[in-house]
Amino acid sequence: MNKIAQIFETLEYGPAPEAADQAIAWLDHHNRTFGHFIDGEWTAPGTTFTTENPATGEKLADLTEGTPADIDFAVNAARAGFGPWSALSGYERGKYLYAIARAIQKHAQLFSVLETLDNGKPIRESRDIDIPLVARHFYHHAGWAQHLHREFPEHVPYGVCGQIIPWNFPLLMLAWKIAPALAAGNTVILKSAEFTSLTALLFAEICQRVGLPKGVVNIVTGQGETGQAIVAHPGIDKIAFTGSTEVGKAIRMATAGTGKGLSLELGGKSPYIVFEDADIDSAIEGLVDAIWLNQGQVCCAGSRLLVQESIEERFVTKLEKRMETLRVGDPLDKSVDIGAMVAPVQVERIRELMARGAAEGAVIYEPDNMTLPDAGCFLKPALVTNVSPANTLVAEEIFGPVLVAMSFRTPEEAVALANNTKYGLAATIWSENINLALDIAPKIKAGVVWINGTNNFDAAVGFGGYKESGFGREGGREGMSAYLKPKWEKDLQAAPPPRSVTPGDVLGSGHLDQTAKLYIGGKQARPDSGYNRPVFDNTGFEIGEVGDGNRKDIRNAVEAARAALGWSTTSAHSRAQILYFLAENLDYRRNEFAARIKAQTGEDGADEVALAVERLFAFAGWADKYDGAVHNPPLRAIAAAMVEPLGVLGIVAPPSRPLLGSIALLAPALAMGNTVVLVPSAQSPLSITDLYQVIETSDVPSGVVNIVTGSSAILAKTLAEHDGVDGLWFAGDAQTSAMVEKASAGNLKQTWTSRGLYYDLADRRFEGDYFLGKATQIKNVWIPYGA
Ligand code: NDP
């Protein structure tokens, strides 16, 4: 062996500690005790709790437990700050954001060391990933502030935003929340996580230093109860939350019916798919990053390895070897790969989950050549094999350095396994075959897909989940829109109560009996209940009967809609053709439909039919135009922001406008590739039951539109509780709207409700992106380039 080779063989790591003296001096300067940062000032410390260094167990500081009174104080400050802040020009707001970005860069080292002390993540990560991304986020949003009026005309900020963040990326999550909120003109109350508040408090000082107006940013420390007080406060207009799915669901329920805006970025169990033609060495390095970044405490961690069977053995052997070279230890050491878990309770939780998985048959490999530090919250990297999809370690989000491996034979099986989870945050695909990778990416139900790379993040690229990983996006255009709402929303008036009719005469003998059935899977079906509901005209005269749909009918309709999801991959051109054809066939029978509207409501229906035809035309036109974007993040990759449908959409139409009320909601949903279970106006359903024949003659595939007549409130509840429904729109009273939002928390379906307000669906503002945006979600597919 020559000398150089010998040196490489015997090379040992020496200690490479990062000095912590400046961070310690900053803590000491504050006497290691902090109040909240409200209205541009520090409050006196109240009841305190301690924050510790998880690598050593040493106490770092005492923090104040935020009380409802503190939240009240912060809301008042944020409300007072909102007027002047939102009145500033975008350029002025942008300058503040730019100043924050600059200040973060100037103090990057202090932020990095403090983050590592408080959270336990390796200094390499806080220095090279977290803090640079924080600065980038503020730079990016400085630009949004200035261009807002051009890019989001007729939009206004929400007002006061409550923001609740977790402990895994403390300053980065703060930046993801505060930068877009401020750019849009909102003011904020941010609660940092109990374990990791220090960089948020240092950030508060930065806000002071750049002269940010008082009340624009308020930072409150505390635990779960403090978060609850924010969620419950009536003076807050929007809640943005990142954390566990469990708490996300609780927040969905707590905000139901309040009209508060809500975005949720929740947990994940993201697949990491390696095909047999992958560059295996790169895929292994990617995997190290995917699962052991931040000790695996990452919502989008690639925690489920799915490797093609033909390379499984080779891949796992190499991976185990690579695991032996990972260095676990003092996070302030610059050559450490895996630092400390955030807190003892997290170590406990992971050990418990691992014990459960092992009891269920899992085989757990942990390198035996590494020793963990005597003190502190350390865990070895672990690889779990011999598991079925039902094993706890496969199904549950572990949030630790634990990788679960399974194999697959075919690409179809890989997709099925990847999607076999309640979550849908991210996915990684490794293959040297770009055709294969790009075929798989759209089939995975996740908000972010990385091809031949992993854990890429950028301020210009939206991040967020599908399914129970939450809704709303952070970053990019989608992230900005989450902090803005249409200007006209504030002018909405209460909807008039549905017309009340006193049932009078029953159908006369001169009428041909017409009892409309339900329409499910392309066929007319009798209601399961065996009951029908009478339909009256505005004088109380009975003019027909429709089926009284129930839970079972909705179940059948959802099943048919799920079976028809191929509609989402039908080309946009074909969907447009079918919508045009629907319009054409409806127009052909306009007199008959107008007469039916008149018969139900007493109003001349000609205009409504004309508007319905026009609306179908409008969304036929949108089908192939409302599409995505290609982002250029600052690395050798593009991110394709693809517009995808939600899936199965439940639509409960408003009581008024028997035809247009349904068509105005149905058309955008279909244009974007959703399949629909439609509940037409309970009072005047005949315009929609008449539509069956139009649908049948317009080439709409079976199951794409399913129609269940009956009580709006009862059917809305069933749709809200159904896990096979991905989104639900309800136009009707406030009480049922609140119920819909609450009952939808089960699988975190995305909802739109009219909350008892009058949305004039004839208005042309509903001819465009308002409902298109609600019918879709964005998937960002990262594709690297370069040889
Ligand atoms: P939580 O969801 O409990 O915490 C996230 C944030 O919400 C924290 O600031 C927390 O306060 C606050 N909070 C807790 N309860 C409520 C409530 N009822 N209303 C409002 N705010 C509340 O996550 P944990 O920190 O407890 O972690 C538990 C598990 O959640 C982890 O092991 C992991 O599996 C998952 N998780 C997922 C994250 C993700 O990004 N997807 C991030 C963090 C955790 P405080 O922590 O101060 O008590």
Side-chain angles (χ1 to χ4, degrees):
M1 200 184 287
N2 66 31
K3 205 167 167 209
I4 292 173
Q6 213 173 0
I7 289 172
F8 271 111
E9 282 299 317
T10 56
L11 213 53
E12 281 292 325
Y13 284 96
E18 182 70 47
D21 44 350
Q22 294 220 18
I24 300 293
W26 179 79
L27 290 171
D28 289 341
H29 172 73
H30 284 272
N31 296 324
R32 298 199 181 222
T33 309
F34 293 85
H36 309 301
F37 180 76
I38 298 177
D39 206 19
E41 315 276 346
W42 293 102
T43 63
T47 308
T48 57
F49 59 98
T50 59
T51 186
E52 281 129 29
N53 177 346
T56 61
E58 285 162 10
K59 175 174 149 181
L60 291 169
D62 286 311
L63 306 174
T64 296
E65 186 78 65
T67 62
D70 294 329
I71 302 304
D72 232 22
F73 180 33
V75 170
N76 287 337
R79 180 61 59 198
F82 174 65
W85 178 248
S86 56
L88 284 182
S89 73
Y91 172 51
E92 290 300 326
R93 283 202 306 274
K95 283 199 290 188
Y96 282 110
L97 290 171
Y98 175 76
I100 292 174
R102 295 286 290 145
I104 283 168
Q105 279 184 318
K106 275 187 270 185
H107 301 285
Q109 195 65 7
L110 178 58
F111 272 113
S112 305
V113 173
L114 195 60
E115 196 76 298
T116 286
L117 281 176
D118 201 15
N119 165 281
K121 64 174 64 195
I123 184 72
R124 236 166 12 104
E125 292 177 12
S126 43
R127 184 196 61 200
D128 299 344
I129 300 172
D130 292 51
I131 308 305
L133 279 172
V134 170
R136 160 105 181 107
H137 227 74
F138 280 98
Y139 276 123
H140 179 79
H141 286 88
W144 272 120
Q146 194 168 359
H147 297 304
L148 212 60
H149 63 290
R150 266 180 293 273
E151 292 296 309
F152 292 93
E154 297 300 306
H155 278 71
V156 290
Y158 273 87
V160 174
C161 297
Q163 306 183 317
I164 301 167
I165 58 171
W167 41 257
N168 54 346
F169 291 89
L171 193 67
L172 187 57
M173 291 301 105
L174 172 149
W176 282 19
K177 299 258 176 308
I178 290 186
L182 263 49
N186 300 280
T187 55
V188 305
I189 296 145
L190 178 130
K191 187 194 93 66
S192 48
E194 169 195 352
F195 299 135
T196 55
S197 292
L198 296 179
T199 48
L201 297 170
L202 177 57
F203 177 83
E205 259 184 31
I206 294 287
C207 293
Q208 264 181 333
R209 213 173 290 184
V210 303
L212 194 71
K214 288 179 173 203
V216 172
V217 167
N218 304 278
I219 310 268
V220 179
T221 52
Q223 308 185 21
E225 294 74 30
T226 312
Q228 272 174 324
I230 291 178
V231 170
H233 200 291
I236 290 181
D237 305 302
K238 175 188 163 108
I239 299 289
F241 171 80
T242 299
S244 60
T245 293
E246 190 192 346
V247 174
K249 286 184 181 180
I251 292 178
R252 166 70 292 193
M253 299 220 252
T255 53
T258 62
K260 283 181 183 150
L262 179 64
S263 45
L264 299 172
E265 201 270 273
L266 309 174
K269 189 77 187 179
S270 300
Y272 188 99
I273 309 170
V274 185
F275 285 100
E276 60 189 1
D277 63 358
D279 169 348
I280 291 185
D281 289 330
S282 301
I284 298 256
E285 283 316 301
L287 189 51
V288 167
D289 189 32
I291 182 63
W292 292 302
L293 177 84
N294 199 9
Q295 297 71 249
Q297 303 168 128
V298 181
C299 49
C300 54
S303 53
R304 276 190 304 143
L305 168 65
L306 304 175
V307 57
Q308 198 150 13
E309 199 177 76
S310 50
I311 57 162
E312 183 187 10
E313 207 180 313
R314 189 153 60 104
F315 192 87
V316 168
T317 307
K318 267 192 166 224
L319 178 61
E320 288 180 350
K321 236 174 144 214
R322 178 66 179 94
M323 286 168 72
E324 286 170 9
T325 65
L326 291 169
R327 304 192 70 233
V328 185
D330 177 8
L332 276 175
D333 188 318
K334 283 172 271 197
S335 58
V336 150
D337 301 302
I338 299 181
M341 308 300 296
V342 75
V345 61
Q346 190 67 3
V347 175
E348 272 309 279
R349 193 179 158 270
I350 292 164
R351 288 216 172 107
E352 259 172 43
L353 282 170
M354 287 171 77
R356 257 167 64 192
E360 290 162 15
V363 174
I364 300 177
Y365 166 79
E366 290 176 337
D368 51 18
N369 66 331
M370 56 180 69
T371 44
L372 300 181
D374 296 334
C377 304
F378 293 93
L379 284 173
K380 287 184 181 182
L383 172 64
V384 179
T385 52
N386 197 38
V387 282
S388 71
N391 189 288
T392 301
L393 295 174
V394 180
E396 297 285 320
E397 182 182 41
I398 302 172
F399 231 61
V402 184
L403 174 68
V404 189
M406 295 170 82
S407 67
F408 65 88
R409 286 192 177 161
T410 61
E412 292 71 32
E413 198 189 347
V415 171
L417 282 170
N419 287 335
N420 183 25
T421 167
K422 62 185 177 182
Y423 298 111
L425 192 50
T428 302
I429 301 167
W430 285 85
S431 166
E432 288 299 290
N433 178 350
I434 191 74
N435 298 322
L436 176 65
L438 291 180
D439 179 52
I440 300 296
K443 293 179 178 162
I444 297 197
K445 301 280 170 241
V448 185
V449 177
W450 294 294
I451 293 176
N452 292 337
T454 204
N455 278 343
N456 300 130
F457 308 102
D458 184 52
V461 185
F463 181 90
Y466 281 23
K467 304 197 285 188
E468 294 191 29
S469 291
F471 44 74
R473 295 286 178 270
E474 296 189 303
R477 171 177 287 276
E478 304 96 86
M480 274 314 301
S481 68
Y483 282 96
L484 292 159
K485 55 182 187 177
K487 210 178 201 163
W488 49 260
E489 269 189 8
K490 68 174 187 337
D491 301 322
L492 290 171
Q493 304 293 319
R499 73 192 154 88
S500 67
V501 286
T502 323
D505 296 336
V506 293
L507 274 172
S509 57
H511 285 76
L512 180 64
D513 177 57
Q514 284 188 336
T515 303
K517 299 195 183 87
L518 315 180
Y519 187 67
I520 296 176
K523 293 196 184 80
Q524 299 199 28
R526 285 202 183 80
D528 168 74
S529 66
Y531 289 103
N532 292 300
R533 299 160 57 92
V535 180
F536 302 102
D537 71 8
N538 62 329
T539 66
F541 186 81
E542 185 182 321
I543 51 170
E545 288 185 312
V546 293
D548 196 8
N550 68 9
R551 175 173 288 271
K552 206 163 164 196
D553 299 313
I554 291 286
R555 275 212 301 266
N556 292 339
V558 172
E559 203 178 310
R562 289 222 81 80
L565 276 173
W567 176 247
S568 64
T569 51
T570 307
S571 77
H573 172 68
S574 301
R575 292 199 302 268
Q577 295 293 106
I578 288 171
L579 284 169
Y580 279 127
F581 203 16
L582 264 173
E584 184 187 323
N585 287 326
L586 179 59
D587 193 45
Y588 187 66
R589 294 169 58 177
R590 59 183 173 277
N591 294 338
E592 177 196 327
F593 272 86
R596 187 62 116 176
I597 291 171
K598 191 166 171 54
Q600 292 173 102
T601 65
E603 286 161 25
D604 175 30
D607 284 353
E608 189 176 330
V609 179
L611 272 168
V613 171
E614 189 181 334
R615 200 54 64 86
L616 285 165
F617 245 70
F619 285 106
W622 274 121
D624 59 357
K625 293 172 195 66
Y626 189 78
D627 55 11
V630 176
H631 301 301
N632 274 302
L635 55 150
R636 289 163 70 79
I638 56 161
M642 295 168 56
V643 176
E644 295 193 341
L646 296 186
V648 173
L649 196 56
I651 296 179
V652 183
S656 59
R657 296 198 195 267
L659 181 65
L660 182 71
S662 284
I663 295 287
L665 302 176
L666 183 66
L670 294 182
M672 292 295 100
N674 297 280
T675 59
V676 172
V677 177
L678 171 68
V679 177
S681 160
Q683 280 191 321
S684 313
L686 298 177
S687 298
I688 297 303
T689 56
D690 287 350
L691 209 61
Y692 300 165
Q693 288 159 3
V694 178
I695 293 172
E696 273 161 9
T697 49
S698 305
D699 296 343
V700 179
S702 303
V704 168
V705 180
N706 305 278
I707 296 164
V708 180
T709 49
S711 152
S712 300
I714 292 173
L715 298 177
K717 183 158 190 291
T718 306
L719 282 166
E721 288 168 348
H722 199 305
D723 279 354
V725 177
D726 302 298
L728 180 54
W729 296 350
F730 174 81
D733 64 278
Q735 201 186 348
T736 313
S737 294
M739 178 276 291
V740 160
E741 290 176 5
K742 199 171 230 168
S744 291
N747 69 343
L748 283 171
K749 56 178 70 67
Q750 305 197 24
T751 56
W752 171 82
T753 63
S754 69
R755 299 187 295 113
L757 299 170
Y758 181 58
Y759 283 73
D760 179 6
L761 293 174
D763 195 297
R764 293 225 154 64
R765 66 167 59 113
F766 298 114
E767 225 174 54
D769 60 0
Y770 186 76
F771 283 116
L772 290 169
K774 296 182 192 317
T776 52
Q777 51 197 342
I778 307 283
K779 170 189 280 175
N780 276 283
V781 181
W782 289 69
I783 309 163
Y785 56 78

